[in-house]
Amino acid sequence: GNSVTQMEGPVTLSEEAFLTINCTYTATGYPSLFWYVQYPGEGLQLLLKATKADDKGSNKGFEATYRKETTSFHLEKGSVQVSDSAVYFCALSERAGGTSYGKLTFGQGTILTVHP
Amino acid sequence: GAGVSQSPRYKVTKRGQDVALRCDPISGHVSLYWYRQALGQGPEFLTYFNYEAQQDKSGLPNDRFSAERPEGSISTLTIQRTEQRDSAMYRCASSPAGTSYEQYFGPGTRLTVT
């Protein structure tokens, strides 16, 4: 079956530091890949997505590149801010026979804390 | 516009009681999903609807769990004879028709079974 593995947290950084959160996946077909973010006290929000190999998703200074050869979708940001403190979830959604199918498989989440 | 809403936001119930959790998706969204999230874990898929049809219920853990979406809009997840292991955050998401993969999540219902 499908699975997503994220790097263990929590991750603690100083403001303006470089961020990487690793994510690798296992899937039998051609998944789309996502990063979701959950800010304190809020629901899950889509941060970025990539639907095919070599696509780069980007939003709010965050980037992730769909690497089929390494089955990875690592999240990066060049300079984090205190407001980026949140829980980050990597997820995949697999199409079956070319039909869109949005069932998401999530990683366990990585807690990021950014200090001033 | 209004996002996905869920009610109640918090529910405390005694073991053996039945509970019903409600999800009101974004207006016009065709697909509706239910997930369960244990503390410190990512959400796990429970079930999914397109309009009123339940397309996949493979994630429901046992027959105490059921879901419906009778008019293709609001959905109810029902847990019968609750057990302590049912305690979790229950999340609902909706998405529009077509090939969009983006799911919009509600705030969740925190269920505690005592």
Side-chain angles (χ1 to χ4, degrees):
Chain A
N2 298 340
S3 67
V4 176
T5 303
Q6 290 181 232
M7 68 184 280
E8 297 274 337
V11 175
T12 303
L13 295 173
S14 297
E15 206 164 26
E16 298 183 3
F18 184 85
L19 169 71
T20 300
I21 301 178
N22 289 340
C23 171
T24 58
Y25 67 90
T26 302
T28 53
Y30 305 96
S32 293
L33 302 174
F34 307 83
W35 279 99
Y36 277 81
V37 59
Q38 184 176 12
Y39 298 104
E42 299 184 14
L44 288 159
Q45 302 174 25
L46 179 65
L47 179 60
L48 54 83
K49 67 181 180 185
T51 57
K52 62 183 187 296
D54 300 325
D55 269 2
K56 177 186 283 189
S58 61
N59 186 26
K60 299 182 182 179
F62 291 89
E63 293 183 340
T65 301
Y66 189 145
R67 300 286 188 202
K68 192 172 182 209
E69 63 276 12
T70 55
T71 61
S72 65
F73 193 55
H74 304 320
L75 182 69
E76 297 182 335
K77 187 174 185 182
S79 177
V80 293
Q81 305 300 311
V82 172
S83 58
D84 294 327
S85 298
V87 184
Y88 293 81
F89 294 93
C90 186
L92 71 81
S93 174
E94 187 162 10
R95 272 186 289 183
T99 303
S100 67
Y101 183 52
K103 168 185 170 182
L104 289 167
T105 300
F106 285 88
Q108 76 271 29
T110 301
I111 299 171
L112 171 66
T113 302
V114 180
H115 293 297
Chain B
V4 177
S5 61
Q6 292 186 244
S7 61
R9 292 291 307 276
Y10 303 91
K11 177 70 176 178
V12 180
T13 190
K14 292 188 187 302
R15 187 164 48 100
Q17 297 294 307
D18 298 350
V19 294
L21 312 180
R22 173 184 165 126
C23 173
D24 198 343
I26 293 171
S27 178
H29 276 196
V30 167
S31 300
L32 185 148
Y33 306 82
W34 283 99
Y35 295 87
R36 180 169 70 172
Q37 186 175 10
L39 204 59
Q41 299 296 316
E44 289 185 325
F45 171 78
L46 294 176
T47 187
Y48 142 69
F49 293 82
N50 267 350
Y51 299 100
E52 72 280 1
Q54 192 170 20
Q55 299 289 334
D56 184 347
K57 57 181 181 178
S58 63
L60 296 177
N62 52 60
D63 59 8
R64 295 186 296 105
F65 287 73
S66 63
E68 63 174 10
R69 193 186 184 198
E71 297 178 358
S73 180
I74 293 168
S75 177
T76 303
L77 177 71
T78 301
I79 309 172
Q80 295 180 313
R81 305 180 303 281
T82 52
E83 301 178 5
Q84 284 190 320
R85 60 179 171 155
D86 299 333
S87 297
M89 178 72 83
Y90 289 83
R91 296 194 183 275
C92 173
S94 69
S95 68
T99 58
S100 169
Y101 293 92
E102 180 165 353
Q103 296 183 21
Y104 297 81
F105 281 81
T109 295
R110 170 71 66 187
L111 175 66
T112 302
V113 182
T114 62

